[in-house]
Amino acid sequence: YSMKQQYIYLVFTKTGTWLSRTLNFFENSDYIHVSLGLDNPLNNLYSFGRTNPSNPFSGGFVVEDLSEGIYKRFEDTSLCIYRLKVTEKQYYILRKKISPFIISKHSYRYNFIGLFGLWFNLPVNRSFHFFCSQFVSLALTQAGIYRPQKAFGLIKPCDLLQIKALELVYKGTIKSYINEKSYAIEA
């Protein structure tokens, strides 16, 4: 592999749904949800969240679009986009690690029990069950991009904001981001 640089994106949001408000009660943070973007523009974001925008209990692996689904219902969602330089090899490994989730997305479920463990500082790892920051941190770690200081089941979105090489590329609301439609982030 050459050492050509590539970008990946960490997309942080806070929708205002009841789950988002509940999580915020326990962890007062600007952003409650994190997604991983591999391409610019950010048409496909990978994470764990609602599989049905109108049902908060239908959770699993999701391919998100900032102009659809839950984000379309909550346009005033706080949004923060960071990019991170990675090597071509890390990018390839990351794609490879995410691929089984995409192919078998119906096999994965949201780790609601893991969220309770997170609040009590007890990591709960369950096969095929993840919450957003648990999934993103695992994928980044498997690709050699991130070295967590704690168990995956204890990683919150705000922990991922501590990655040193993150570059802020957008901060505002989803509505503003979509309206500006400069959609493709300049490299």
Side-chain angles (χ1 to χ4, degrees), residues 33-45:
H33 181 69
V34 63
S35 307
L36 182 60
L38 301 181
D39 298 309
N40 180 13
L42 300 172
N43 291 329
N44 295 314
L45 300 172

Side-chain angles (χ1 to χ4, degrees), residues 89-106:
K89 182 178 181 182
Q90 288 171 321
Y91 184 83
Y92 171 79
I93 293 168
L94 187 58
R95 269 209 178 283
K96 191 175 175 184
K97 294 297 179 183
I98 292 173
S99 185
F101 287 90
I102 297 168
I103 293 166
S104 304
K105 73 180 193 174
H106 297 296

Side-chain angles (χ1 to χ4, degrees), residues 163-178:
I163 295 173
K164 298 257 185 275
L166 287 180
E167 293 177 62
L168 178 66
V169 291
Y170 181 84
K171 187 172 186 172
T173 65
I174 286 183
K175 183 182 195 177
S176 297
Y177 179 72
I178 299 299

Side-chain angles (χ1 to χ4, degrees), residues 17-19 49-59 70 73 110 112:
T17 62
W18 74 265
L19 181 58
R50 285 188 189 195
T51 53
N52 176 344
S54 57
N55 182 352
F57 300 106
S58 66
I70 196 75
R73 289 185 55 210
Y110 194 87
F112 286 107

Side-chain angles (χ1 to χ4, degrees), residues 120-182:
F120 296 106
N121 206 33
L122 299 167
V124 178
N125 298 311
R126 302 166 63 208
S127 296
F128 298 96
H129 289 73
F130 296 87
F131 50 84
C132 65
S133 50
Q134 186 179 30
F135 162 74
V136 171
S137 62
L138 176 65
L140 293 175
T141 300
Q142 288 176 334
I145 297 167
Y146 175 59
R147 286 196 188 119
Q149 302 302 307
K150 50 186 159 183
F152 297 115
L154 295 178
I155 296 175
K156 302 169 187 167
C158 61
D159 295 322
L160 294 169
L161 282 167
Q162 305 309 311
I163 295 173
K164 298 257 185 275
L166 287 180
E167 293 177 62
L168 178 66
V169 291
Y170 181 84
K171 187 172 186 172
T173 65
I174 286 183
K175 183 182 195 177
S176 297
Y177 179 72
I178 299 299
N179 288 341
E180 289 171 18
K181 207 65 166 179
S182 52

Side-chain angles (χ1 to χ4, degrees), residues 74-92:
F74 292 88
E75 293 179 314
D76 291 327
T77 291
S78 298
L79 171 67
C80 198
I81 301 171
Y82 288 89
R83 71 180 180 182
L84 182 62
K85 244 183 228 181
V86 297
T87 66
E88 205 170 20
K89 182 178 181 182
Q90 288 171 321
Y91 184 83
Y92 171 79

